[in-house]
Amino acid sequence: MIWEDYGDLRQEVSEPNRASIYRSLTINISKEMMSYSDFPIPANYPNYMHHSKILDYFRTYAEHFKLTQHIHFQTLVKSVKQMADFSRTGNWEVVVEKRDGEEQKHIFDAVICCSGHYSYPNMPLKDFPGIETFEGKYFHSWDYKGPEDMYGKRVVVIGIGNSGGDIAVETSRVAKQVYMSTRGGAWVIRQVSDNGLPVDMKYNTRFVHILFQLFPINFFNWFGEGKLNAMYDHTMYAIKPTHRLFSKIPVINDDLPLKILSGSVIIKPNVKEINGSTVVFTDGSTVEKVDTIVFATGYNYDFPYLPNNTMYRSGHRLGLYKHVFPPNLEHPTLAIVGFVHALGAIMPQAEMQARWVARVFKGLNKLPSTQTMIKAIEKDTKDIEKNYIVSNQAPLQVDFVSYMDDIAGEIGVRPSLLRLLLTDYSLFKKVLWGPVTAYQYRLMGPGKWDGARRAVFTQFDRMYQALKTRQVKEPEPSVAGRLLIFSLIISAGTASIYYIHVRYPDTIPNLLTKIHMQTSSLM
């Protein structure tokens, strides 16, 4: 049984301890990259969807798979704790509160927590001396619903994450002036990539992932930063960060550079102090007569309904085996799903986690010993701290493809490039060169979906269809272009075989032996 409340995502008042969004919010992940693995988003839906469209998709998904009959809406989970006989049964007592205030107790064989990490706004007021003297209005981005209260005002947005960027852009259309204060800067990428493709469909591919395994990360930092600076020089725009491109998830915003260029948004350094209606920055500059301060300062995470003995800490982060399972329970009947952060949609990652969790709960997959899980967790913590900028608010980052493949390997659904190369070359090309959509993980193994192959082949068709609102004659491909594509395919195939040989040296000989044996048996 699942407790969740779709609610009205456009309501004006934010509810405590629940994620909150603003009315104009459009997701920065394209629809194909956020589709669930066996239920593609309709082709006529826009590639970057308004939150109302996302809600429609979730509802359609739930109705299609007949999930709504198992969901209790408008129900608050107050506590989840082990039963007295947990050592024997692994069962949990869950206390809930209905909308009318009635409390109920239920006993469950297993529990999955899916409350995420965007429910507790981080308001570090102690870091802003004089905030108590501020004469205007200040609030966290969590409470922002729209720019109506910003007309003709002077606004300071503190923080340059995705929410901060969106709010600065939107309010700049009505405000007298918007200032964006950033402590460390940010790399800003566009949703609209080369040739107008969604950026994630163009670059979040298995081939690009293989290249990342073969070449030093500094090469990609240099190359990627150069490509971004060619669009708008981050130094000239005063947004150049102190970290390298792939050390932190970038800001995705097509409009922010234009707003900076037009002067609608002025970038400032960190706030030093606040004196009445004057904001003083660390470079000594000031902005007077400020009416509104928006704290786009991120979120804290917590699981207040869980007992403390279920939590294992590792450095800055909550220690979970493969970001899912607490390592210190006698029975693997508690899982955390969706508590991960990558340059990619949370939907396919959470779905992959849930598929693995279901198999563990059913006894089809076994977890290693507590000691082995803790050792793996500590290694993950060191790897995260080595590869990414880590803070108390952001200790969850993973590489999207590596993580998806890792969990898929636990289930037995990771696509085999070598097998596809030898048995289904057309599909091999789509899996290697195309975006790493969730459909790839329904091609083989447990939970195989018969429509997965077609979904992979038609993912760009669905992307294009939403744009075909006016008929335009398609250009004919040139011979030179075909030759270039053919040479790239040969190069990609060679690189893939080399990658597999380096990472899994026994795979190719074993597969060739099996093929030889099967061929011999047919002769």
Side-chain angles (χ1 to χ4, degrees):
M1 187 177 292
I2 306 168
W3 276 286
E4 187 53 87
D5 180 9
Y6 289 143
D8 182 0
L9 297 181
R10 289 157 284 189
Q11 61 191 343
E12 295 300 315
V13 180
S14 303
E15 294 186 29
N17 304 333
R18 292 191 61 189
S20 175
I21 60 175
Y22 33 96
R23 286 189 299 276
S24 64
L25 182 65
T26 298
I27 197 167
N28 57 18
I29 301 292
S30 67
K31 67 178 180 182
E32 289 300 307
M33 299 300 292
M34 63 163 282
S35 288
Y36 290 119
S37 61
D38 52 357
F39 197 75
I41 293 174
N44 64 318
Y45 276 38
N47 285 285
Y48 290 109
M49 297 186 293
H50 184 260
H51 62 72
S52 59
K53 288 286 188 182
I54 299 173
L55 181 58
D56 288 342
Y57 171 64
F58 288 160
R59 283 177 168 153
T60 305
Y61 179 93
E63 290 164 3
H64 176 80
F65 289 103
K66 298 180 173 55
L67 300 177
T68 51
Q69 61 185 309
H70 302 293
I71 301 173
H72 288 201
F73 294 100
Q74 298 181 349
T75 304
L76 174 70
V77 176
K78 299 195 71 175
S79 69
V80 177
K81 61 182 181 181
Q82 295 109 316
M83 293 289 292
D85 60 354
F86 182 82
S87 295
R88 180 174 58 85
T89 65
N91 290 348
W92 297 85
E93 178 191 88
V94 179
V95 178
V96 303
E97 183 180 298
K98 306 295 287 184
R99 185 164 187 169
D100 59 8
E102 177 192 1
E103 284 195 4
Q104 297 177 352
K105 292 184 180 180
H106 300 271
I107 308 301
F108 289 98
D109 298 317
V111 172
I112 306 176
C113 303
C114 309
S115 49
H117 51 95
Y118 290 116
S119 299
Y120 301 94
N122 177 48
M123 282 280 278
L125 297 182
K126 60 180 175 49
D127 295 337
F128 300 92
I131 184 65
E132 69 280 358
T133 71
F134 183 57
E135 298 171 0
K137 178 183 179 181
Y138 69 86
F139 56 89
H140 193 274
S141 58
W142 183 79
D143 287 311
Y144 177 82
K145 294 298 179 182
E148 292 78 12
D149 294 337
M150 309 292 193
Y151 277 83
K153 302 213 174 150
R154 296 166 71 85
V155 180
V156 173
V157 177
I158 299 177
I160 197 174
N162 284 306
S163 294
D166 285 350
I167 292 171
V169 165
E170 184 169 61
T171 56
S172 72
R173 297 188 176 105
V174 300
K176 182 176 182 179
Q177 184 63 63
V178 173
Y179 301 87
M180 173 173 272
S181 168
T182 172
R183 180 170 49 190
W187 293 105
V188 180
I189 67 175
R190 300 184 304 176
Q191 291 168 273
V192 181
S193 184
D194 303 340
N195 302 315
L197 293 175
V199 66
D200 49 5
M201 289 191 75
K202 184 171 181 64
Y203 289 109
N204 204 347
T205 69
R206 202 166 287 279
F207 178 69
V208 170
H209 176 69
I210 290 172
L211 293 180
F212 267 80
Q213 312 305 308
L214 296 176
F215 295 96
I217 189 63
N218 282 337
F219 167 78
F220 292 100
N221 282 323
W222 167 79
F223 179 81
E225 291 165 11
K227 193 171 180 64
L228 293 180
N229 282 325
M231 290 185 286
Y232 29 81
D233 189 304
H234 282 57
T235 300
M236 182 171 68
Y237 279 61
I239 56 176
K240 183 180 179 181
T242 54
H243 61 268
R244 302 304 302 272
L245 174 57
F246 292 105
S247 296
K248 190 176 183 180
I249 292 178
V251 172
I252 305 175
N253 196 308
D254 292 55
D255 298 322
L256 181 59
L258 174 60
K259 291 299 181 180
I260 296 172
L261 192 63
S262 66
S264 301
V265 175
I266 296 176
I267 303 298
K268 303 294 287 183
N270 199 32
V271 172
K272 179 181 179 182
E273 60 181 341
I274 299 165
N275 296 319
S277 63
T278 300
V279 176
V280 182
F281 299 95
T282 53
D283 63 354
S285 63
T286 63
V287 174
E288 299 179 347
K289 299 180 180 179
V290 174
D291 300 292
T292 306
I293 299 176
V294 182
F295 286 90
T297 46
Y299 292 82
N300 296 307
Y301 62 86
D302 194 13
F303 298 89
Y305 47 84
L306 290 177
N308 290 331
N309 65 351
T310 62
M311 295 296 148
Y312 174 81
R313 302 294 304 186
S314 177
H316 282 292
R317 72 190 189 103
L318 177 65
L320 299 169
Y321 179 60
K322 296 186 184 293
H323 301 271
V324 177
F325 286 102
N328 51 346
L329 296 176
E330 296 175 81
H331 297 278
T333 55
L334 175 68
I336 312 294
V337 164
F339 196 65
V340 69
H341 199 195
L343 188 55
I346 187 61
M347 296 79 169
Q349 294 176 89
E351 182 193 21
M352 187 66 72
Q353 291 175 328
R355 292 174 67 183
W356 181 37
V357 167
R359 292 182 61 81
V360 171
F361 285 173
K362 291 173 67 175
L364 299 175
N365 282 70
K366 300 293 184 182
L367 297 182
S369 67
T370 296
Q371 292 77 15
T372 300
M373 287 192 287
I374 289 176
K375 185 177 180 180
I377 289 169
E378 296 300 335
K379 182 182 183 302
D380 282 346
T381 299
K382 290 179 181 178
D383 289 343
I384 291 172
E385 292 176 347
K386 176 184 176 182
N387 296 323
Y388 304 108
I389 302 297
V390 178
S391 69
N392 287 328
Q393 283 74 48
L396 312 168
Q397 190 165 342
V398 297
D399 175 77
F400 179 81
V401 179
S402 295
Y403 185 70
M404 289 286 286
D405 277 356
D406 185 23
I407 304 302
E410 295 288 338
I411 305 169
V413 297
R414 182 169 56 202
S416 170
L417 286 177
L418 184 59
R419 181 183 300 176
L420 291 175
L421 175 64
L422 298 174
T423 62
D424 193 339
Y425 184 66
S426 296
L427 182 58
F428 164 79
K429 290 188 296 182
K430 296 291 185 182
V431 171
L432 176 65
W433 285 98
V436 184
T437 48
Y439 323 127
Q440 293 189 8
Y441 300 99
R442 291 284 184 181
L443 292 169
M444 54 190 67
K448 178 182 177 181
W449 175 45
D450 291 339
R453 188 179 189 275
R454 174 172 172 77
V456 170
F457 271 84
T458 56
Q459 54 198 3
F460 275 97
D461 294 337
R462 286 187 296 277
M463 189 277 289
Y464 290 132
Q465 184 169 325
L467 301 172
K468 291 184 177 180
T469 55
R470 172 176 170 263
Q471 192 166 0
V472 180
K473 186 177 180 180
E474 301 279 349
E476 293 293 330
S478 66
V479 175
R482 291 174 179 172
L483 289 175
L484 176 61
I485 292 173
F486 179 74
S487 63
L488 289 175
I489 291 172
I490 296 298
S491 300
T494 304
S496 301
I497 294 172
Y498 176 73
Y499 169 75
I500 294 170
H501 176 69
V502 171
R503 294 292 297 272
Y504 312 103
D506 296 331
T507 301
I508 294 177
N510 290 341
L511 187 58
L512 291 175
T513 300
K514 290 180 181 178
I515 293 174
H516 177 71
M517 293 175 63
Q518 291 174 359
T519 304
S520 300
S521 63
L522 294 174
M523 294 178 65

